[in-house]
Amino acid sequence: MEKTVKIEEYNPEWVSEFQQEKARIMEVLKNDSLCVEHIGSTSVMGLGAKPILDIMAGVQNLAEVDTFIEPLKSIGYEFVPHKEFPERRFFRKGQWRAGTHHWHIYRFGSEQWKNQLSFRDYLRSHPDVQKQYQQLKMSLAEKHPADIVGYTKAKAPFILNVMESAKGG
């Protein structure tokens, strides 16, 4: 079942949902050394979002993610290989294109890791940019109501511009 692109108002419960999900993940993986972060729009106070929790973990070596697949199945996560993103491992909770949780795993400290945190932190500290992003997301949700891939691709130029600003470019 494919979900329509719907942006909900910010929900302060997303923070506690993240904390609960992080605890669940850490419990099944029995790995205290994982660095886990709340990313994506649900991690930015005041920003509307698709109600999907994006969680990011940093590992020393992406090969260790293979050992996560079976334990994560027990709490509803499915490993989704994406050959187009060789520096990321991805797990989804929920149905295809209608997931409720997305878990992104990068090498800790990698450029991808840093970019995710930079984008989140920039939006948190720049309310004017956050407002622009909110308006863009609402507009794109209307333009691409049943096309999550098109919606996501259409956000990319804005995100790249924000990343350049965050780097001081």
Side-chain angles (χ1 to χ4, degrees):
M1 176 176 106
E2 192 153 330
K3 210 183 239 187
T4 58
V5 179
K6 182 177 182 298
I7 306 300
E8 295 185 1
E9 284 187 32
Y10 177 76
N11 181 344
E13 292 190 15
W14 287 334
V15 174
S16 61
E17 288 176 23
F18 161 73
Q19 292 296 342
Q20 291 167 10
E21 197 64 19
K22 176 183 173 181
R24 234 179 257 119
I25 289 168
M26 299 300 271
E27 186 177 325
V28 299
L29 293 182
K30 299 176 183 7
N31 185 335
D32 295 336
S33 66
L34 275 183
C35 183
V36 179
E37 295 278 347
H38 188 187
I39 60 168
S41 294
T42 61
S43 70
V44 180
M45 188 169 65
L47 182 59
K50 297 184 312 297
I52 300 169
L53 280 181
D54 282 294
I55 302 167
M56 177 175 73
V59 294
Q60 294 303 315
N61 186 325
L62 287 174
E64 68 187 275
V65 175
D66 292 345
T67 65
F68 298 174
I69 295 172
E70 288 305 314
L72 288 170
K73 273 186 189 176
S74 71
I75 58 171
Y77 281 89
E78 176 187 359
F79 175 64
V80 182
H82 283 164
K83 289 182 177 132
E84 65 272 25
F85 300 109
E87 300 301 318
R88 178 186 79 169
R89 299 298 178 267
F90 180 76
F91 290 82
R92 178 191 64 243
K93 189 173 192 178
Q95 297 179 341
W96 184 73
R97 294 265 166 93
T100 57
H101 299 72
H102 291 167
W103 198 38
H104 313 260
I105 304 173
Y106 299 99
R107 192 175 47 74
F108 182 80
S110 67
E111 184 176 348
Q112 296 84 357
W113 171 269
K114 291 174 187 173
N115 286 345
Q116 291 290 339
L117 295 177
S118 292
F119 184 66
R120 177 198 68 191
D121 295 346
Y122 195 86
L123 289 176
R124 285 177 174 177
S125 62
H126 292 82
D128 54 325
V129 177
Q130 183 186 124
K131 185 176 180 181
Q132 291 170 18
Y133 190 48
Q134 172 82 20
Q135 291 168 342
L136 174 66
K137 288 166 41 139
M138 298 298 284
S139 168
L140 292 175
E142 286 180 25
K143 188 176 178 181
H144 302 279
D147 180 9
I148 191 74
V149 173
Y151 165 84
T152 301
K153 283 183 179 177
K155 291 188 311 179
F158 181 90
I159 293 169
L160 290 173
N161 284 338
V162 169
M163 294 307 301
E164 284 303 311
S165 295
K167 291 177 182 174

